[in-house]
Amino acid sequence: MNRLLCFLLLLSIFQTDHYQTLRNDMVKTQLEAQGIHNPSVLNAMRKVPRHQLVPGNVRHLAYEDGPLPIGYGQTISQPYIVAFMTEAIDPKPCMKVLEIGTGSGYQAAVLGEIVAEVYTIEIVEPLGTKAQKDLEKLGYKNVHVRVGDGYKGWPEQAPFDAIIVTAAPEKVPQPLIDQLKEGGKMIIPVGSNANTQELRLLEKRKGKIRTTSLLPVRFVPFTRDTLK
Ligand code: SAH
């Protein structure tokens, strides 16, 4: 019995090390090599156990350079895109951030490592419920999950220092612009056709929105309540 316990303990230490090595490699080859440089983003990406947030059948691919299916026709973005979006909002420890599209909970966990509070909304109920449980298990007390239509934002917690949207609407939802703090940043993929979407950065200055186009991207569509 003691031998078995010892073996299991060693196995779990080996596995923890193994995943840490994969994460360190991911940060080096996929993120730093492609220009991600914010130390708090790189640290968070070294820390969050992506393999514990994706479905078991794709766990072995968790640290590969690509998106992964998470069920219900949805996908988790590739690590580079998660890091790029997180870096784009210039996250700081004092910030309160809203995410639309919880999915697996991975992006929310990365934010949870850096900022004070994360509010995240998922429209597909089983995904939202699972992410909430997984994030709780991993100890993210500062990540708050709600199931619902993110189009309306989270008015009770607004305004937000930053907003990250991880599904693509045809145009930026007005309630999200309204819930962005003065000086705040929103990063959002926009476009109805997956072939022509672009990632945009919006900044609110003196009540006005300044938009910059950053990258061509391919996100799942932003759906509405009625399409659930
Ligand atoms: N950020 C996620 C990626 C999820 S993919 C992660 O790290 O895993 C985008 C998610 O947005 C999907 O789960 C999809 O169901 C959700 N979504 C689409 N439209 C939405 C809406 N109107 N409100 C909230 N979530 C939405």
Side-chain angles (χ1 to χ4, degrees):
M1 187 60 187
N2 273 348
R3 269 198 196 164
L4 181 64
L5 275 180
C6 201
F7 172 73
L8 289 175
L9 190 68
L10 279 173
L11 188 69
S12 84
I13 290 171
F14 169 75
Q15 285 213 322
T16 313
D17 268 11
H18 171 65
Y19 285 119
Q20 188 60 63
T21 306
L22 291 180
R23 279 199 294 279
N24 292 348
D25 286 352
M26 170 190 85
V27 166
K28 211 162 155 192
T29 61
Q30 299 171 37
L31 309 185
E32 288 179 314
Q34 292 196 74
I36 304 293
H37 55 267
N38 182 319
S40 57
V41 175
L42 295 170
N43 278 340
M45 301 283 297
R46 262 184 220 109
K47 199 162 166 204
V48 179
R50 185 168 157 105
H51 66 282
Q52 289 184 31
L53 291 164
V54 298
N57 61 331
V58 292
R59 183 155 300 153
H60 60 292
L61 303 172
Y63 300 104
E64 298 285 308
D65 185 12
L68 291 173
I70 53 170
Y72 305 90
Q74 306 304 325
T75 53
I76 174 175
S77 301
Q78 72 193 96
Y80 173 74
I81 292 290
V82 174
F84 183 88
M85 292 175 81
T86 313
E87 189 168 83
I89 60 160
D90 200 11
K92 300 265 162 40
C94 56
M95 283 172 41
K96 183 181 190 179
V97 178
L98 174 68
E99 181 200 20
I100 308 299
T102 315
S104 67
Y106 179 67
Q107 170 75 74
V110 169
L111 287 167
E113 288 287 343
I114 308 170
V115 306
E117 300 295 333
V118 181
Y119 293 85
T120 178
I121 308 177
E122 171 55 53
I123 202 164
V124 177
E125 195 271 339
L127 282 178
T129 310
K130 175 155 195 325
Q132 185 165 31
K133 273 199 201 125
D134 288 345
L135 290 163
E136 209 175 289
K137 234 190 281 168
L138 292 172
Y140 289 101
K141 291 201 171 64
N142 61 341
V143 180
H144 315 278
V145 183
R146 169 186 271 188
V147 171
D149 182 359
Y151 184 90
K152 299 169 228 149
W154 196 317
E156 303 89 326
Q157 291 297 336
F160 297 95
D161 297 291
I163 301 179
I164 290 191
V165 183
T166 65
E170 271 177 50
K171 64 194 264 281
V172 182
Q174 187 59 42
L176 300 185
I177 294 176
D178 297 340
Q179 289 174 32
L180 192 60
K181 212 180 256 183
E182 176 58 34
K185 293 182 179 169
M186 176 178 353
I187 184 136
I188 179 168
V190 182
S192 50
N193 179 338
N195 294 317
T196 57
Q197 284 173 16
E198 58 178 29
L199 199 54
R200 292 187 191 159
L201 181 69
L202 279 67
E203 292 173 76
K204 198 184 249 188
R205 297 257 174 85
K206 298 192 181 129
K208 291 218 172 78
I209 295 293
R210 198 179 78 184
T211 303
T212 319
S213 292
L214 300 176
L215 278 184
V217 283
R218 205 179 258 260
F219 276 76
V220 296
F222 192 101
T223 54
R224 299 301 315 277
D225 257 344
T226 47
L227 300 176
K228 202 159 48 166

